Amino acid sequence: MKILVKCLQGGSTLLDVSESSTVSELKKLVQKNMRIPVFQQTLILFGKCLQDEKCISDYPQIKDGTKLYVAIKNPDFFNTTLHKFLRKYYHEAQCKVIVEEFMKNFHSKVNSLSLDDLERIAKSEIESAASGL
């Protein structure tokens, strides 16, 4: 089946995949065609993040011609900033453990959000910033 993958920052690619392909395999094709590293990809279908270990067949909404979106994430920036902040209060080894646990929890929570949830958060932040001006 053919799946269109569009990048939220621009660009797209048409991929030929089977229902038995995993999301992880799909991400490798996106990396090859769009030059977006797998670790920076989040594939999105109807506002929900696809899980790497699942097969395409685990998502009955994915059919021939389905459009997926790929969001590009930059996890190092947040990790680095958090680590620098924590170094003021903790030893290096403690910082590493805290950041790893925080990021694991953070990713779990973010992956459970829909695009509608993210849009509401963004609008709330924009309105809050505008009222503070």
Side-chain angles (χ1 to χ4, degrees):
M1 79 174 78
K2 300 228 186 269
I3 296 175
L4 179 65
V5 178
K6 294 191 75 164
C7 182
L8 295 174
Q9 288 84 354
S12 64
T13 187
L14 189 61
L15 301 176
D16 193 9
V17 296
S18 71
E19 290 184 6
S20 63
S21 299
T22 63
V23 171
S24 184
E25 292 168 339
L26 183 59
K27 285 184 173 184
K28 288 176 186 171
L29 290 172
V30 170
Q31 176 176 300
K32 180 180 174 188
N33 291 358
M34 298 182 80
R35 294 184 169 74
I36 302 169
V38 169
F39 72 91
Q40 287 186 301
Q41 296 178 36
T42 299
L43 292 177
I44 302 166
L45 172 68
F46 301 123
K48 296 288 185 182
C49 299
L50 303 183
Q51 297 175 9
D52 289 348
E53 67 280 356
K54 290 198 172 185
C55 291
I56 300 297
S57 61
D58 293 329
Y59 297 97
Q61 308 94 324
I62 299 178
K63 301 175 178 97
D64 191 47
T66 296
K67 186 188 305 180
L68 300 178
Y69 290 91
V70 59
I72 301 172
K73 56 188 174 185
N74 187 355
D76 292 338
F77 177 75
F78 187 67
N79 292 4
T80 304
T81 303
L82 181 58
H83 193 86
K84 284 180 185 177
F85 172 77
L86 291 171
R87 274 193 292 193
K88 297 175 190 174
Y89 307 101
Y90 299 98
H91 296 289
E92 190 66 30
Q94 291 171 311
C95 289
K96 184 177 179 184
V97 170
I98 292 169
V99 168
E100 285 174 1
E101 284 300 313
F102 179 85
M103 292 308 295
K104 190 185 323 177
N105 188 18
F106 177 77
H107 285 293
S108 170
K109 300 289 186 199
V110 169
N111 285 337
S112 70
L113 295 173
S114 70
L115 283 180
D116 290 337
D117 295 331
L118 294 172
E119 187 175 339
R120 276 192 293 277
I121 292 168
K123 282 182 180 178
S124 171
E125 289 301 314
I126 290 169
E127 290 169 0
S128 177
S131 67
L133 293 177

